[in-house]
Amino acid sequence: MLELLFLLLPFTVAYGWVMGKHSAKKELQQKQDSMNKAFTSSVTLLLKNKEEQALESLIQYLDDNPQSIESYMTMAQVFRKKGEIDKAISIHEGLLKAEHVELTSFEKEVIDLELAQDFMSAGMLERALKPLLSLLSTEQADTSLAMVLHIYEQTREWQAGIDAYLSVSSSLISKKNRELICHFYCELADSSENIKVKKQAYKRALKVNTKSIRAMVSLAKLYLILNQKQQSRELVVQALE
C-alpha cells in the first residue's frame, strides 16, 4: 500500500517552476508537506475502514486543493479492482460533493460513470442506473448505454432497455450495442403471446441488425404459423446465405 501512496502523492510539484527565490521555495515546500499530510490522512482513514471520516477529510482536502482530482480517481480505481468498493464509492462521492471543486462537464460525466461502475461492482444495480440514465444524452452515451443494457439484461427488463436505446442519438450508438438491443427485441417478442406484437418486435430487431440469424429464423417460424410461406422461405434463404 506504501507503493500506492508514493504513486499518488506527487501531484503538487507543478508549483515548483513558479517560485524562483529560496524563500519562496521554502514556503512552497511547507505547503506541499501540509497538503501531502492531509492527503495521507484521508487515505489512512480509508484503509482503516473509516469511510465517513475519510469522506469528510477528503471533501475538505479537495476544497482546499482541487488539482488533486486525478490522484483520487486513480486511487478509487485501485480500491475497486481490489474489491474494496465502499472506499471507491466514498472517493467518487467526495469528488462530486466537494463545494469548491470546479468540475468540467466532461469530468463530472467521467466521475458519474466511475461511480456507476462502483455500484454495479457492488451489485447495487438500481443505484447504478440513476447516474447512467442521466449520461445517455452526453458524450458518454454509448458507454453508459452498454452498462444500462447489461443491467436490464440481468433483470430481464427488455422494454426498459429498448426505451433507453431509443433515447440515445443513433449516431452515437456502437455496432456492439445495436447487436445487443436486437436480442432485446427478440426477447420481447419471445415473451409476448400477441402475434402482432411478436411480428413487430422481430421486424424491429432486423431493422437494428439486418444480419441477425436469431431474428430471421424467429420471424420465419412466425410466418409459417401465419401461413405466409413465401415470406418465411425468403427469410430462411437469407439466413442460410
Side-chain angles (χ1 to χ4, degrees), residues 5-67:
L5 294 179
F6 282 117
L7 285 171
L8 298 177
L9 287 177
F11 51 85
T12 58
V13 294
Y15 284 98
W17 68 275
V18 180
M19 306 299 182
K21 297 180 181 180
H22 177 72
S23 58
K25 288 183 178 180
K26 184 176 181 180
E27 182 181 348
L28 174 62
Q29 185 60 52
Q30 291 175 342
K31 185 175 183 179
Q32 289 176 333
D33 290 342
S34 176
M35 291 167 66
N36 289 346
K37 183 177 180 180
F39 180 84
T40 304
S41 175
S42 61
V43 173
T44 300
L45 287 168
L46 280 171
L47 296 177
K48 291 181 178 179
N49 295 316
K50 297 180 179 180
E51 279 76 20
E52 290 188 8
Q53 295 178 45
L55 183 57
E56 293 177 3
S57 177
L58 184 153
I59 292 174
Q60 181 60 53
Y61 176 68
L62 287 170
D63 283 340
D64 296 335
N65 311 285
Q67 73 277 10

